[in-house]
Amino acid sequence: MCLPALDVWSLDELIGYYVLYRKVNLDAEGDRHPLEAFGLYAVATRYPEGLARRHALQPTAWDGVYELPWGGHQVRLIVLNRIEKHPRNAPWELFASERDRMRQGLEHYRARPTSAKQLGYWELLEHLYLLYRHEASVMAYTLEQFIRDTHKKVIEDAIEHDPESVLKHFDPEQRLKGLDPESVLERFDPEQRLKGLDAEDRLKGLDAEDRLKGLDPDLIAAWLAKQRRDH
């Protein structure tokens, strides 16, 4: 299991998963595999300071790799921010949280599939590598930033491939928010602009000369005469 930080509960979960897996993954005769057929590993981004204060982490011959006795078992812990800066560790360093380690991983990572039947796992890692490399200068280092950027990417892809499915979730006012009124009106012919407006709204913004333009002079005179009689 891979964790941002290791704690007691996480280790208990690891043992629980191991026990369940050993129960259900039986050999051809229906028996459980021997204990030595299993290994318990945990991968953490940062060194678990809190855990190490109460439980001794035993260093191994490899930088950033520790042995941790837990519940009668040995758990091998790999701390990504402490492993050796070496090209062979590049795939691990892609998921570290320290900038220099991530760049080390980006510079040295090369995808080398070992089998033609790996069902896209290497392609997935290669895709992550390309994403990180593209964003290296402004890389996100928190889960919140990662979630925000992922949501943004999903929305952008949806807009590109099916904009109508995105727009239907917004009311007309939200769709027009932030748009220049003139640029919106340019998309409509005069008749469409006036459609649905009452007479007073149509006349707003017009001066007296524009309102009278095109009217029959006799009709204007009759209207003025009526206004004088009524008032």
Side-chain angles (χ1 to χ4, degrees):
M1 60 193 309
C2 183
L3 308 157
L6 195 66
D7 57 18
V8 170
W9 180 256
S10 301
L11 289 166
D12 288 344
E13 278 192 298
L14 175 60
I15 300 300
Y17 291 138
Y18 152 71
V19 171
L20 179 60
Y21 183 73
R22 187 164 181 247
K23 283 183 177 180
V24 300
N25 186 36
L26 305 178
D27 62 19
E29 287 74 35
D31 297 322
R32 293 174 184 168
H33 293 282
L35 291 174
E36 57 269 19
F38 297 89
L40 296 175
Y41 295 86
V43 181
T45 304
R46 302 181 299 276
Y47 185 79
E49 299 285 355
L51 182 70
R53 284 194 290 269
R54 301 188 300 275
H55 304 276
L57 300 184
Q58 303 168 1
T60 67
W62 300 279
D63 292 343
V65 181
Y66 305 86
E67 295 287 353
L68 174 61
W70 199 264
H73 302 278
Q74 283 289 117
V75 176
R76 175 154 290 189
L77 170 62
I78 302 172
V79 181
L80 300 183
N81 284 351
R82 291 198 173 190
I83 59 176
E84 181 184 4
K85 292 183 179 180
H86 191 281
R88 66 169 173 267
N89 288 330
W92 288 114
E93 291 177 316
L94 291 177
F95 302 96
S97 63
E98 296 178 351
R99 183 185 294 269
D100 62 331
R101 288 187 179 274
M102 297 182 79
R103 292 191 179 279
Q104 164 85 9
L106 292 175
E107 290 172 2
H108 294 94
Y109 171 71
R110 298 291 183 274
R112 293 186 298 274
T114 58
S115 169
K117 299 180 179 179
Q118 288 185 300
L119 301 177
Y121 298 125
W122 276 99
E123 287 82 357
L124 175 60
L125 191 56
E126 179 73 9
H127 181 65
L128 290 173
Y129 159 70
L130 292 174
L131 285 176
Y132 278 134
R133 181 155 192 160
H134 177 68
E135 299 293 340
S137 61
V138 290
M139 201 174 299
Y141 294 100
T142 68
L143 181 59
E144 291 77 10
Q145 288 175 307
F146 173 75
I147 292 174
R148 181 194 63 204
D149 292 342
T150 300
H151 288 172
K152 180 180 177 181
K153 178 64 175 174
V154 169
I155 292 173
E156 288 175 348
D157 288 345
I159 292 174
E160 180 180 354
H161 295 99
D162 189 8
E164 288 301 322
S165 67
V166 177
L167 291 175
K168 70 181 182 181
H169 294 287
F170 299 90
D171 59 39
E173 185 175 346
Q174 289 175 311
R175 294 191 190 191
L176 296 173
K177 189 175 183 180
L179 297 178
D180 176 49
E182 291 302 321
S183 64
V184 174
L185 289 174
E186 286 174 0
R187 297 175 179 269
F188 301 93
D189 59 40
E191 186 174 342
Q192 287 179 310
R193 295 189 191 187
L194 298 175
K195 190 175 181 180
L197 297 177
D198 59 32
E200 288 300 321
D201 288 332
R202 295 188 183 197
L203 292 173
K204 285 178 180 177
L206 299 178
D207 57 32
E209 185 175 345
D210 288 329
R211 293 191 185 195
L212 297 175
K213 188 179 293 184
L215 294 179
D216 180 35
D218 292 337
L219 181 62
I220 297 174
W223 182 84
L224 291 173
K226 183 177 181 302
Q227 292 300 309
R228 295 190 188 98
R229 288 196 304 273
D230 293 342
H231 295 83

